Each structure stands twice: as C-alpha cells, then as structure tokens.
Amino acid sequence: MTEPQPHKFERGTDGPKVIVAGLDGSDSSMRAAAYAAGLARRQGAMLALVYVQPVLPAGAALGAPVADTTGEVAEGLVSEIREATQRMKDIWDVRWEFHTFRGDPYNGLVTAADELKADAVVVGASESAGHRFIGSVAVRLVKAGRWPVTVVP
C-alpha cells in the first residue's frame, strides 16, 4: 500500500483571473473599484473596470446630446483612473483595462462579465432611492447567480 502524498502548494493557481468592477462615477462605485483593485493585486488578476453608458429613448433626451455626455463621463473616469494608478505605481501595480458598454447598468454588467469571462464582479451599493422599486443592480447580479458578487458600501 502506498502512503498518501503530502499536498503540494500551488502558488498563484487559485482565485479569480478576471475581476469586473462596475463604475458610474458615484462614490460607492469608486470605493468598489478601489476594493476590486486590491483584490486584483493580491490575486494577480486582471481588473476590468466597466462603465455602462446609458441608452435613453430618443424623446427622453429632450434634445440633449446624451451620447456625447456619457462619452465625456467615460473619458473622465478613464482620466481619474489613470491619475490614481500613476500616483500608486511605486506602491503597487495592478493590471487593468477600461471598458465601456451600452445599455442599462444590469444588462451592461452582465454582458461585460460574460464577454470578459469574469470570475468575480464587484459593484458599489446603490445610492439611489429608485432601486427599491426596480431592484438594485447589485441585488439583481447576486440573484443571477453566475459569478461571486461583492457589494461595497
């Protein structure tokens, strides 16, 4: 009878490879991105920061150039992220990508997580009172049951 072999420790083979963090510019989404960056750093994972550009019905825009406005938000977020990573580059390094998707936040994050082959999703807690009626994005992601979801307050 052979003796059982001791378990070999495998460095860096467990844990998420891609962590998706939803960003919308709110304080809670920025905290979620920072939390996800820490997870990605510790796990050696790719951090995919995702901004979902809202798509409004033509009449809802009331003549405002919605695509231009949401594009400016995305550019502002990228600029903020680049500045933060530049400030922190000597302290720690995280591999990250920025992606924009169009649609409502829930479906946009689902699409992003599927296309980017996410192992985990991190979002900020809702700061909107309206989520009580239609359900917060975080709750809907958890109920989908397709990835581990972390909700950051």
Side-chain angles (χ1 to χ4, degrees), residues 15-22 35-36 39-40 43 45-50 109 112-114 116-123 141 146-151:
K17 299 292 179 220
V18 177
I19 299 171
V20 166
Y35 182 86
L39 286 176
Q43 295 291 327
M46 170 62 70
L47 174 61
L49 299 165
V50 174
L109 286 172
D114 284 345
L116 299 170
K117 297 182 181 9
D119 297 303
V121 177
V122 180
V123 293
L141 288 168
R146 294 165 61 182
W147 325 266
V149 177
T150 302
V151 183

Side-chain angles (χ1 to χ4, degrees), residues 56-67 69:
L56 299 175
L62 299 176
V66 175
T69 302

Side-chain angles (χ1 to χ4, degrees), residues 46-125:
M46 170 62 70
L47 174 61
L49 299 165
V50 174
Y51 171 63
V52 180
Q53 292 182 319
V55 177
L56 299 175
L62 299 176
V66 175
D68 291 345
T69 302
T70 59
E72 289 171 14
V73 170
E75 288 173 20
L77 289 171
V78 169
S79 178
E80 263 186 79
I81 294 161
R82 283 201 176 107
E83 288 172 18
T85 48
Q86 191 63 27
R87 284 192 309 268
M88 302 298 280
K89 74 175 182 165
D90 294 331
I91 300 168
W92 51 271
D93 191 28
V94 174
R95 293 179 305 127
W96 64 276
E97 302 172 345
F98 183 81
H99 300 270
T100 59
F101 288 82
R102 294 182 61 81
D104 68 274
Y106 170 75
N107 287 314
L109 286 172
V110 166
T111 300
D114 284 345
E115 287 185 14
L116 299 170
K117 297 182 181 9
D119 297 303
V121 177
V122 180
V123 293

